[in-house]
Amino acid sequence: MPLVPPYIESLEPYRPGKPIAELQKELGLTSVVKLASNENPLGPSPFAREALCRHVAELHRYPNGGLDLRELLASKFNVKVGNVIAGSGSEGIMSSIIRTFLCDDDEVLTSEGTFVGFYVLARSRGIRLVQVPLRDYRFDLEAVARAITERTKIIYLANPNNPTGTIFTTREFDAFMKSVSSRVLIILDEAYFEYARENPRYPDSMQYRYDNVITLRTFSKIYGLAGIRIGYGFAHDLLISNLLKVKLPFEPSTLAQAAGIAALEDSEFLHRSLMVNAAGRRQLTAALEELGLHPVPSDANFLMVPCESEGVALCIYEALLHHGVIIRPLRAFGLPHCLRITIGTREQNLVLINAMRAVLETLTART
Ligand SMILES: Cc1ncc(COP(=O)(O)O)c(C=O)c1O
């Protein structure tokens, strides 16, 4: 018996967007703009910053497993505490889901071109991961439904989807749910739901309550708290009670929970973040189109740009690094010819646009 199971040995670890400090060191740059990890360009919610200072004095005590945040979310969303879980980011909860519900012969079903973190987690369990193709860069829910087998245990859906920024509509989701047996668990990853909820075609999963759906949300995106690791989920109490048996007992940390609770009350920050994002999305879309690119219409805080080939995408990515701009190439997401650009502040977007213009001019001059 090998020490390391073959499915771990062959696993490609999750590679996050290139850190600013790494690029500065590599290329000796002083000024770097990172638009690679869908972070909030305004920084953390000010309420959360203040809460962090207040809770430092409690750090000798163990955390309470997210109970305070669960209670607050339960009252906000009018559900029971037993329907809510909090964890170390939504990925922390996803990891608990993988450990709680899967047996060796089960299959996990999702799409190509969705969140790479989920692929890595599913593969780390050594089960079969089935991926159906996207259709026009959108989840093809009909194809997902057709791919269900007797062994399908979990279906992962991201809405809005990362990295495409696209949504599936209420109509598509309703039809999908009618065709899925209640013995299949659906993970509905709504990491970017705040950016999409004003879209009348967007199915906010909290307006439904299916017993086999787990909704996942996060403080990492619009609340600007990616670094502290706090996320939450809603589901039937039977699912939550089993998840709580498996979740690490002291996840989330005291500071993560305090930051999340404070951020939830920071409606001014939420509003400002939405406004900056909407303006930035318009600014970037128009500028990229003017440069001859075709960003996919997005309901999130990033834009995906398909290129002619993987070679061209990588060339643009590398050249932008030399201009001090980090974006994300998407091979690991199954979209090697695409690039993903996080929407920044107006000034950051301008840096990206000017750098992109210079890079494309050099590329055209070369060919
Ligand atoms: C669709 C999706 N789900 C989950 C996550 C992870 O979020 P968290 O920081 O809450 O673990 C991300 C982060 O990029 C994401 O894009």
Side-chain angles (χ1 to χ4, degrees):
M1 272 283 262
L3 203 55
V4 183
Y7 55 85
I8 298 293
E9 184 118 55
S10 62
L11 192 64
E12 276 283 327
Y14 179 78
R15 285 190 217 292
K18 198 183 213 16
I20 291 178
E22 191 180 303
L23 182 63
Q24 284 177 323
K25 205 162 143 201
E26 274 173 18
L27 298 183
L29 298 167
T30 45
S31 160
V32 170
V33 170
K34 183 182 174 204
L35 300 173
S37 301
N38 303 341
E39 296 150 343
N40 188 328
L42 300 182
S45 139
F47 281 24
R49 288 181 196 223
E50 199 226 325
L52 288 175
C53 298
R54 267 190 282 119
H55 283 79
V56 165
E58 287 164 33
L59 287 184
H60 58 303
R61 305 261 179 232
Y62 279 99
N64 67 0
L67 184 61
D68 303 342
L69 177 59
R70 293 174 62 213
E71 284 174 351
L72 178 63
L73 288 164
S75 80
K76 261 194 185 304
F77 286 87
N78 204 17
V79 294
K80 290 175 287 176
V81 178
N83 297 122
V84 190
I85 186 166
S88 294
S90 47
E91 243 188 308
I93 304 174
M94 262 183 242
S95 163
S96 300
I97 295 172
I98 296 285
R99 286 184 294 129
T100 305
F101 299 107
L102 287 174
C103 304
D104 291 348
D105 291 334
D106 289 338
E107 288 177 4
V108 168
L109 173 60
T110 185
S111 179
E112 290 172 0
T114 188
F115 180 49
V116 60
F118 182 76
Y119 297 151
V120 176
L121 277 174
R123 289 191 176 117
S124 74
R125 179 64 183 76
I127 41 81
R128 197 164 114 84
L129 172 66
V130 180
Q131 292 165 266
V132 305
L134 291 168
R135 192 171 176 183
D136 299 330
Y137 296 123
R138 296 172 66 241
F139 258 84
D140 183 349
L141 290 188
E142 285 178 16
V144 174
R146 281 197 301 273
I148 296 172
T149 70
E150 302 235 298
R151 289 166 62 181
T152 306
K153 171 62 88 54
I154 289 181
I155 298 178
Y156 171 83
L157 307 175
N159 204 33
N161 184 37
N162 174 15
T164 58
T166 51
I167 60 163
F168 52 80
T169 64
T170 304
R171 214 209 242 168
E172 289 165 331
F173 182 59
D174 288 345
F176 174 75
M177 287 309 291
K178 281 201 191 102
S179 64
V180 179
S181 152
S182 58
R183 63 160 188 87
V184 181
L185 189 64
I186 316 256
I187 301 178
L188 196 37
D189 182 341
E190 294 183 341
Y192 302 94
F193 105 100
E194 293 91 347
Y195 299 102
R197 67 176 157 194
E198 296 298 318
N199 182 339
R201 284 149 54 89
Y202 179 70
D204 173 350
S205 70
M206 291 306 287
Q207 303 298 323
Y208 302 76
R209 267 325 338 149
Y210 289 108
D211 289 352
N212 59 331
V213 173
I214 301 184
T215 294
L216 293 183
R217 292 187 179 173
T218 183
F219 289 95
S220 296
K221 306 300 172 185
I222 199 137
Y223 293 104
L225 292 174
I228 208 155
R229 315 303 306 131
I230 180 84
Y232 57 101
F234 300 100
H236 190 279
D237 40 14
L238 195 72
L239 299 180
I240 298 290
S241 61
N242 282 289
L243 273 172
L244 291 176
K245 294 177 197 166
V246 171
K247 179 185 82 70
L248 297 179
F250 299 119
E251 175 191 344
S253 74
T254 302
L255 291 184
Q257 170 166 253
I261 288 174
L264 260 190
E265 305 300 335
D266 199 346
S267 47
E268 195 275 330
F269 181 75
L270 190 86
H271 179 71
R272 195 152 44 91
S273 300
L274 277 176
M275 293 298 111
V276 168
N277 189 65
R281 194 163 47 199
R282 284 192 297 272
Q283 176 196 11
L284 270 183
T285 303
L288 293 172
E289 283 176 349
E290 214 177 292
L291 293 175
L293 299 169
H294 304 285
V296 175
S298 166
D299 274 284
N301 65 341
F302 53 88
L303 288 171
M304 190 178 81
V305 182
C307 302
E308 277 156 47
S309 63
E310 176 173 14
V312 171
L314 283 179
C315 220
I316 295 175
Y317 165 71
E318 294 284 346
L320 284 175
L321 291 180
H322 288 266
H323 285 262
V325 181
I326 311 174
I327 61 168
R328 191 72 170 259
L330 296 176
R331 164 163 277 291
F333 289 72
L335 292 162
H337 65 296
C338 294
L339 296 167
R340 193 190 66 198
I341 303 170
T342 301
I343 296 164
T345 59
R346 192 180 153 66
E347 295 69 34
Q348 291 173 332
N349 297 336
L350 277 175
V351 173
L352 175 279
I353 293 162
N354 289 331
M356 184 68 93
R357 182 176 301 113
V359 165
L360 292 180
E361 272 166 15
T362 316
L363 262 184
T364 335
R366 253 201 267 154
T367 49

